[in-house]
Amino acid sequence: MDSTTTSLDFAVIGHQDSWDNIHGFVNGLRTSSQGELSLEKVKSIFPFIPPRELFRVEVNSITGKKINGVYIDTFIEPDKLDPRHLRANISKVQAALSTAKKLGARIVALGGFTSIVLEGNLVEYTSDETKFTTGNTLTTAYIVNGLIKAANQYNVKIEDSELLIIGATGDIGSACVQYFKNKCKKLLLCARNKRRLHALSERLATEGIKNESSTSLAELLYKADLIVCVASSSGLAFTKCKENVIICDAGYPKNLDTKIENNYRQIFHGGMGQVSEGFVFSPDYTDSFYQYPAPYVIHGCILEAMILAFANKYEAYSYGKGNITLERIAEIYKLGLKHGINIAPFYNSKGLCT
Amino acid sequence: METLKKELKSIEEFNVISDLFSQAITGELIGMSNFASLAETIDDYLEKIEAVEHANSERMHAEAFLGYAEKHGLNVNINLEGEYWRTVREHFLFYAKKRDFIACLFIQEVILESFAVSMYRDVGNALGGEAKKLFLEISAEEQEHLEHSSDILKAEFKKDPIAFLAKIEEVHFKCMTILAQFSATTDLRGHCGICNGDCMKGSLHHVGLKIETMRGNALALYAQALDNIGIPGEKSIIWIAQLPA
C-alpha cells in the first residue's frame, strides 16, 4: 500500500449502466471554459481509461459508527456486457480488484456485472488483507423480504401463489428458489441454460416441490401471481402477464416496467436498500451516481460490504455460485437492521410506488 | 529504396508511412533535446550522466528511424518548429530554466514517453515486417525510461504530496493539453507542420490504424503511469476528463 493512502473499510467495484450517465458524469467534471464533449467523443475515450477510484464514501450507522470506503469504476462499456466481451471485461474487473487491494480496502463488493468473476471463480479472490464479496446474499435478502412485504401490502397469500423466478439457475435466482420452495403453491422456473434448469427442476421434484420449468418465458409468464426477475433483461420478451401480478425487478438493467403492459398490481426495483443515517460522497458526484426517488438508496450488493465493515466481519461472505444459505440471508439482513440499513422504499422508473 | 515502394499498395499508404516516420523522428529529436536540457537541471552527477545517456538513446532512435526512412525512400519531413512539438519543447524549457527537475522529468519521461511507447507499439503492429521490429524495439526502450521515472516521482510524491500534486497538475494541463489537441480526431491547433500535405490522421486507415484507438491506448498508458506514481484515481480522472478531445 502506498504511504499516501490510508486503509479503507470497504471498496465498491462497479460500472455505469448507460452512456447517458457516463456522458453526464464526464461533462460534469469539465468546466464551462473547457466546454462539453459530445457523446461520440466521450465514447471514444471512456473505454480506454483503466479502472480507478472515483470518489470516497463515508457511511453512517444508527449506532454512531462511521466507515470509510471508495468507489472504483471499471470503465466497462454499458453496451458491452454480453459474452462476446467477457474476456476484456474480466481483465478490467481484475485491474479494479488490484486497485482495491492497492488502496488497502478490507472488504470489496463487486457490483452489477463485475460479480461474475467471483461467481464463476474466474479470478483468485482470496487475499490476506482484502476480502471480496459478490454481495449476493444481501441482495437476495432484500429481494425475498421485499416480495413478502409487497405481497402482504396487497393481501396476496404467497402460499396460494405461483411464483415465477426468471434467472432461476443463477446465484441469486437459485437462492430465491431455496428460500421460497416451501412457501409458495408452485415454483415456475425460467432460465436460459436448459441443462442447468432441467437439473434444478428435477432436484426440486425429488424433494417434493411442485415446479414447472421452461427456457421460454412466454410459457410461464401468464401463470405467475408473483414474479422475481434476476436475469439480464436485455432480450427478455414480456408477453401478457396475469392481472394484478406483483413483480420484483431485480435484474440488470431494471427496466421491466418499460417492457410490459400496465396490468400489474405493483412492479418495484428489487434488491435495493436504504441507509437511514445516510452517506457522503467526496467529491460529491450524487448528480451522476445513485440517483433514486428516495434518499440514500443503494444496491444490496454494495450494502453487504458496508454492513460487513460496520460489523467488523471482514470475510468473503458471498462467493462462487450456489453458496448462499438461508441462515446467511437472515444473518446479513439482521446485521443491516442493527446499523439502520433496510430494504429501500418501493420504487420503479416512474418514481416511488404509492 | 524500391523494396518498400513495391510492397505498398497505394500512394496513400506510402504518404501515411512517411508521415508516421516524420513524426517519430521529430519526436525523438525533441526527446534528445529535452534530455540534454534535463541534464542541466540535475545536481546529482550519476543522474546527470543518466540524462545524457537517455539523450544519446533518443539520438540513436532518431537515427534508426531515419536510417529506415532513407533505406525505403520515404518522404520524411523533420520540423522541430512544428506547432505541437515546438510548444511542448517550449514548456519543457520553461521548467528547465527554472531547474525544475521533477517537472522536466514528468514532461519527458511520463507524458512524452507514454505516448511514444503506446503509439510506437500500435504503429509497429500495424506496419509489420522490419518496421514492426524497429518500432517495437524502440517502444520497449522508451518503456524503460517511463519506468525509470516512476520510482523517482513516487519518492518525490511521498515527500510532499500536496506540493507534488499541485506541480504535476500544472504540468499536466500545460503539456497534456498540447498532446490531446495533437491526437484529437482533428488537429485542434491547426496543421502540425510535419505531415506532408493534409493531416495524416484521416488517412491512417490505409495502414490499419485509427487515431481514436491510438489516442485511447496512449491515454490509458499515461493514466497507468499516473497510478504507478501514486496519484489518486479520483484526481487523475478529472485531469483526463478535462483535456480537449
Side-chain angles (χ1 to χ4, degrees):
Chain A
M1 192 175 53
D2 198 282
S3 69
T4 53
T5 61
T6 51
S7 178
L8 293 166
D9 299 308
F10 70 92
V12 173
I13 292 175
H15 57 90
Q16 301 306 302
D17 57 8
S18 80
W19 277 113
D20 281 347
N21 280 358
I22 295 165
H23 189 212
F25 170 67
V26 171
N27 280 320
L29 296 178
R30 293 174 69 83
T31 63
S32 55
S33 64
Q34 288 157 347
E36 287 205 356
L37 291 180
S38 67
L39 179 59
E40 190 193 0
K41 285 192 173 170
V42 170
K43 280 186 173 185
S44 76
I45 296 167
F46 180 89
F48 289 96
I49 299 174
R52 62 201 46 249
E53 68 274 25
L54 297 191
F55 55 88
R56 306 271 155 167
V57 191
E58 186 182 80
V59 193
N60 306 310
S61 162
I62 50 172
T63 63
K65 189 173 180 179
K66 289 178 189 293
I67 52 168
N68 289 292
V70 67
Y71 171 80
I72 298 167
D73 204 289
T74 50
F75 292 87
I76 288 174
E77 295 169 80
D79 45 8
K80 289 192 177 167
L81 296 174
D82 54 280
R84 281 179 303 146
H85 304 97
L86 192 62
R87 187 180 293 221
N89 289 341
I90 285 171
S91 129
K92 287 198 165 193
V93 177
Q94 281 177 308
L97 292 175
S98 299
T99 303
K101 279 188 194 175
K102 199 172 153 193
L103 290 169
R106 298 183 70 188
I107 186 143
V108 183
L110 282 83
F113 167 86
T114 71
S115 65
I116 193 169
V117 301
L118 286 192
E119 288 171 19
N121 293 328
L122 295 173
V123 294
E124 178 60 53
Y125 56 82
T126 53
S127 160
D128 289 341
E129 287 146 9
T130 304
K131 306 293 179 195
F132 301 107
T133 182
T134 61
N136 286 351
T137 309
L138 187 66
T139 301
T140 306
Y142 286 167
I143 290 169
V144 298
N145 285 305
L147 192 67
I148 292 167
K149 189 177 163 189
N152 286 340
Q153 203 171 307
Y154 289 97
N155 296 317
V156 173
K157 289 187 173 169
I158 290 182
E159 62 270 27
D160 296 335
S161 303
E162 296 199 14
L163 167 62
L164 168 62
I165 298 176
I166 305 167
T169 60
D171 190 37
I172 297 173
S174 56
C176 291
V177 167
Q178 288 306 308
Y179 188 89
F180 284 112
K181 68 181 184 185
N182 293 310
K183 294 182 176 72
C184 60
K185 190 169 87 180
K186 186 180 180 183
L187 280 173
L188 306 170
L189 310 169
C190 183
R192 288 187 172 96
N193 187 307
K194 203 170 185 174
R195 188 180 53 80
R196 279 195 222 132
L197 183 62
H198 182 71
L200 174 66
S201 177
E202 288 283 295
R203 198 166 60 244
L204 289 169
T206 57
E207 290 177 38
I209 308 296
K210 212 171 162 189
N211 77 89
E212 186 180 340
S213 67
S214 175
T215 53
S216 162
L217 183 59
E219 283 180 18
L220 305 171
L221 197 58
Y222 70 95
K223 299 174 185 174
D225 304 297
L226 302 167
I227 298 174
V228 168
C229 178
V230 283
S232 161
S233 62
S234 63
L236 275 186
F238 263 75
T239 51
K240 201 168 173 61
C241 298
K242 222 175 198 180
E243 193 85 3
N244 292 331
V245 65
I246 294 174
I247 303 169
C248 171
D249 181 2
Y252 188 85
K254 302 182 199 305
N255 60 2
L256 293 185
D257 42 346
T258 63
K259 291 187 167 207
I260 55 179
E261 291 171 30
N262 194 20
N263 62 348
Y264 46 82
R265 181 177 274 140
Q266 185 171 96
I267 180 162
F268 65 96
H269 291 184
M272 306 297 292
Q274 187 177 39
V275 184
S276 66
E277 299 306 301
F279 45 76
V280 179
F281 293 166
S282 174
D284 183 6
Y285 292 139
T286 40
D287 283 349
S288 306
F289 290 86
Y290 305 122
Q291 281 190 305
Y292 299 107
Y296 307 126
V297 167
I298 210 159
H299 292 85
C301 57
I302 293 170
L303 286 170
E304 181 172 303
M306 295 177 181
I307 291 168
L308 292 170
F310 272 132
N312 270 317
K313 208 173 163 63
Y314 295 105
E315 59 183 84
Y317 202 80
S318 308
Y319 64 94
K321 204 186 245 186
N323 296 325
I324 299 172
T325 64
L326 300 185
E327 293 73 24
R328 287 212 152 191
I329 291 173
E331 182 187 52
I332 193 76
Y333 183 69
K334 206 172 150 190
L335 273 174
L337 294 177
K338 201 175 153 188
H339 294 280
I341 299 173
N342 202 347
I343 302 170
F346 293 146
Y347 71 91
N348 56 39
S349 59
K350 296 183 184 82
L352 283 171
C353 302
T354 49
Chain B
M1 188 187 287
E2 289 304 305
T3 325
L4 183 72
K5 279 188 180 170
K6 276 179 191 163
E7 287 168 6
L8 296 176
K9 294 184 194 84
S10 63
I11 186 67
E12 288 85 358
E13 200 175 335
F14 174 80
N15 286 339
V16 173
I17 294 174
S18 295
D19 289 343
L20 286 167
F21 271 85
S22 299
Q23 295 290 357
I25 296 163
T26 308
E28 291 298 337
L29 292 174
I30 292 286
M32 178 192 75
S33 311
N34 284 351
F35 273 119
S37 308
L38 184 64
E40 292 287 316
T41 71
I42 302 169
D43 295 323
D44 180 89
Y45 74 94
L46 290 174
E47 281 289 336
K48 199 184 271 285
I49 291 170
E50 196 158 0
V52 174
E53 280 171 359
H54 282 185
N56 190 45
S57 151
E58 305 295 63
R59 178 187 64 81
M60 289 194 293
H61 294 163
E63 283 180 351
F65 283 133
L66 205 51
Y68 180 97
E70 281 170 2
K71 182 179 166 190
H72 295 282
L74 296 177
N75 183 21
V76 293
N77 174 33
I78 300 155
N79 178 10
L80 302 181
E81 292 302 311
E83 174 65 18
Y84 299 93
W85 287 117
R86 179 184 50 77
T87 318
V88 169
R89 173 79 179 136
E90 280 169 1
H91 285 311
F92 184 92
L93 286 175
F94 169 80
Y95 291 106
K97 275 178 193 154
K98 287 174 33 177
R99 292 180 62 81
D100 191 337
F101 170 65
I102 293 301
C104 289
L105 192 71
F106 187 76
I107 294 172
Q108 181 56 41
E109 295 206 359
V110 178
I111 294 182
L112 292 175
E113 300 296 27
S114 291
F115 271 68
V117 169
S118 176
M119 290 193 168
Y120 288 174
R121 205 180 283 158
D122 288 342
V123 170
N125 286 326
L127 297 186
E130 195 187 334
K132 175 178 179 176
K133 192 168 174 286
L134 178 63
F135 272 103
L136 295 190
E137 274 175 9
I138 294 178
S139 172
E141 286 178 25
E142 303 291 25
Q143 176 84 43
E144 284 175 24
H145 294 175
L146 185 59
E147 286 161 8
H148 164 260
S149 66
S150 187
D151 289 340
I152 299 172
L153 294 169
K154 201 189 284 182
E156 194 67 17
F157 185 19
K158 281 178 187 171
K159 279 189 215 162
D160 186 351
I162 294 170
F164 181 85
L165 279 177
K167 182 200 293 272
I168 296 301
E169 183 170 304
E170 178 191 295
V171 176
H172 162 87
F173 281 112
K174 275 189 176 175
C175 291
M176 272 304 290
T177 297
I178 310 298
L179 289 195
Q181 289 166 329
F182 195 8
S183 59
T185 45
T186 52
D187 284 339
L188 297 174
R189 290 166 71 99
H191 194 277
C192 65
I194 290 164
C195 290
N196 292 295
D198 292 339
C199 173
M200 70 162 158
K201 284 185 281 195
S203 308
L204 284 171
H205 62 277
H206 291 295
V207 292
L209 287 166
K210 270 178 81 176
I211 189 60
E212 292 89 343
T213 310
M214 290 176 74
R215 180 189 51 187
N217 287 337
L219 274 177
L221 192 59
Y222 174 64
Q224 281 165 5
L226 296 179
D227 294 345
N228 291 340
I229 296 167
I231 291 167
E234 60 247 52
K235 186 66 91 176
S236 56
I237 186 65
I238 298 171
W239 293 358
I240 292 168
Q242 292 188 342
L243 290 171

